[in-house]
Amino acid sequence: MTKKFKVISMTIFIILIVFMAGKYLLDFLFEDMCGNDIKQKISSPSGKSVAYIFERSCGATTGFSPQLSIINKDDEFQNESGNTFRSDKDFSIEWLNEKSLKVIYDKSSEAYEMNENVNGIRIKYVGK
């Protein structure tokens, strides 16, 4: 190998190491600033699925967002946005049966997500 090739290879290697270390440091210092505050945990009739109603907040510059996630009973609730319904106003839910859930929400609310099928559960939305 020529000396020039060794210098270029070493420079690329050092740049890569510095980049990876910087990314790790930034991820560590600014890890997810959002948080979830669970308001209700409602199991399906058989208990195989769980619906979480929670408020998500991402710091002082954002408001609270009522959200809904449906997960399997064996899965851990994560610090993520709702996988089923996200709104700007409170709502309620009702399990209709093992595979069907009703979300009762204010028609005047702004819905950011309204999935109709999550983890094999059909979701019916009823505005009041």
Side-chain angles (χ1 to χ4, degrees):
M1 273 191 219
T2 67
K3 186 174 181 177
K4 185 177 180 180
F5 180 75
K6 286 181 182 180
V7 170
I8 291 172
S9 297
M10 187 59 77
T11 303
I12 290 172
F13 179 73
I14 291 171
I15 289 171
L16 185 62
I17 294 297
V18 169
F19 174 78
M20 290 172 55
K23 182 180 178 339
Y24 175 78
L25 180 64
L26 288 174
D27 286 347
F28 178 76
L29 292 175
F30 299 105
E31 63 183 289
D32 195 0
M33 294 174 59
C34 296
N36 294 337
D37 182 21
I38 298 171
K39 298 299 181 186
Q40 285 185 293
K41 176 183 174 183
I42 306 165
S43 296
S44 64
S46 73
K48 290 182 180 179
S49 298
V50 180
Y52 286 91
I53 296 176
F54 61 97
E55 285 187 343
R56 185 162 177 82
S57 175
C58 291
T61 60
T62 63
F64 291 94
S65 171
Q67 302 189 15
L68 172 65
S69 279
I70 300 172
I71 62 175
N72 295 321
K73 72 171 183 169
D74 296 328
D75 293 341
E76 187 176 324
F77 183 73
Q78 300 291 319
N79 184 28
E80 299 173 345
S81 293
N83 68 1
T84 306
F85 182 68
R86 291 185 276 170
S87 179
D88 64 345
K89 294 185 181 173
D90 288 334
F91 59 90
S92 62
I93 65 166
E94 178 184 327
W95 283 99
L96 302 175
N97 57 51
E98 187 59 30
K99 294 289 183 185
S100 186
L101 179 94
K102 178 169 57 172
V103 175
I104 302 111
Y105 69 100
D106 188 329
K107 282 184 183 179
S108 69
S109 66
E110 175 118 15
Y112 306 109
E113 183 166 356
M114 293 178 82
N115 290 324
E116 295 181 354
N117 194 320
V118 176
N119 295 337
I121 310 293
R122 285 185 314 267
I123 296 94
K124 178 181 178 182
Y125 293 95
V126 178
K128 58 177 181 169

